[in-house]
Amino acid sequence: MVRTFRAHPTRVRLFRNKWLELTTLTPFPLFFSVWLPITVVAIVAAFRTEQGGKVAFGFLSGLLVWTFFEYFAHRYIFHLKLNSAVGRHLIFLIHGNHHADPKDPLRSIMPLTVTLPLGFLIWLAWRHSGFPAPNSAFAGFVTGYTAYDTVHWACHQTNSRGPIARILRKHHLLHHYARIHGNYATTVPLLDRVFKTRIRSQ
């Protein structure tokens, strides 16, 4: 476990307290060992509590909501421009540190200290939304999230070889190394064409 949290030569320090700092680091195996079971349990729960047609409708709806959530959160929250020093520090804490060192293997995934409480709140939101298939919708949402952070980690930490993987990797890395205001979608680059935020590259 100590080796899993090994030092990265250019890592940006976010907290002086070593325990707080540790909460900002997420190894890919840890992320996958937590969110894959959550995703599987959510899918099983959907099938056990809702009918076949509702499961398909709910799952696709949740996946669609995640897709837009991914794009708009990245565009309007992660790259929000705030004037105050506290505001700028907050944005750097949320996302700016990743741009400061995109190759840090423990900062390519949102920390569990953020995603687990947020996931619980999103589950509650689906449950109380009045949506006809809330469990299936949540299953679709977390499937989208798990796929997103897997793709995001792979874009930064692997040399993607498959044709789709290469397209996704190039699309995302242009966001880091060409200009940050563009290519906000990581898993569905089509959204950057739709919202006219695609970075054109030679």
Side-chain angles (χ1 to χ4, degrees), residues 82-108:
L82 298 174
N83 294 324
S84 69
V86 173
R88 291 196 301 271
H89 181 74
L90 179 62
I91 295 302
F92 185 82
L93 192 65
I94 293 172
H95 189 64
N97 68 87
H98 173 56
H99 277 270
D101 187 5
K103 293 297 290 182
D104 189 334
L106 302 186
R107 292 247 172 84
S108 292

Side-chain angles (χ1 to χ4, degrees), residues 11-199:
R11 176 167 296 146
V12 179
R13 183 93 184 197
L14 298 181
F15 294 104
R16 292 178 182 176
N17 183 284
K18 65 177 182 180
W19 299 111
L20 277 178
E21 183 70 7
L22 193 62
T23 66
T24 70
L25 307 176
T26 308
F28 181 75
L30 177 61
F31 153 76
F32 210 64
S33 68
V34 170
W35 277 101
L36 181 61
I38 290 175
T39 302
V40 171
V41 168
I43 293 172
V44 171
F47 275 102
R48 293 189 65 180
T49 58
E50 293 161 2
Q51 301 299 320
K54 281 190 174 182
V55 171
F57 172 71
F59 187 89
L60 291 175
S61 297
L63 196 59
L64 185 64
V65 169
W66 162 260
T67 301
F68 284 98
F69 180 86
E70 173 195 321
Y71 177 87
F72 287 111
H74 192 184
R75 182 175 180 178
Y76 293 111
I77 298 177
F78 292 176
H79 288 283
L80 182 65
K81 289 186 177 296
L82 298 174
N83 294 324
S84 69
V86 173
R88 291 196 301 271
H89 181 74
L90 179 62
I91 295 302
F92 185 82
L93 192 65
I94 293 172
H95 189 64
N97 68 87
H98 173 56
H99 277 270
D101 187 5
K103 293 297 290 182
D104 189 334
L106 302 186
R107 292 247 172 84
S108 292
I109 294 173
M110 190 67 74
L112 297 176
T113 49
V114 175
T115 59
L116 288 175
L118 187 59
F120 178 70
L121 292 176
I122 289 169
W123 175 75
L124 285 178
W126 279 115
R127 292 285 296 174
H128 296 284
S129 66
F131 189 75
N135 291 335
S136 300
F138 179 71
F141 191 92
V142 296
T143 297
Y145 164 68
T146 303
Y148 156 77
D149 249 346
T150 300
V151 169
H152 185 255
W153 179 86
C155 284
H156 288 286
Q157 306 304 328
T158 68
N159 292 320
S160 310
R161 296 182 179 180
I164 295 177
R166 283 200 303 268
I167 290 170
L168 293 177
R169 185 169 186 266
K170 179 182 178 181
H171 182 84
H172 182 65
L173 293 186
L174 282 171
H175 170 73
H176 280 272
Y177 298 108
R179 59 183 175 87
I180 63 171
H181 298 298
N183 284 19
Y184 298 107
T186 301
T187 55
V188 186
L190 176 64
L191 289 183
D192 284 295
R193 289 179 178 269
V194 171
F195 295 108
K196 302 186 185 306
T197 52
R198 174 174 169 258
I199 299 171

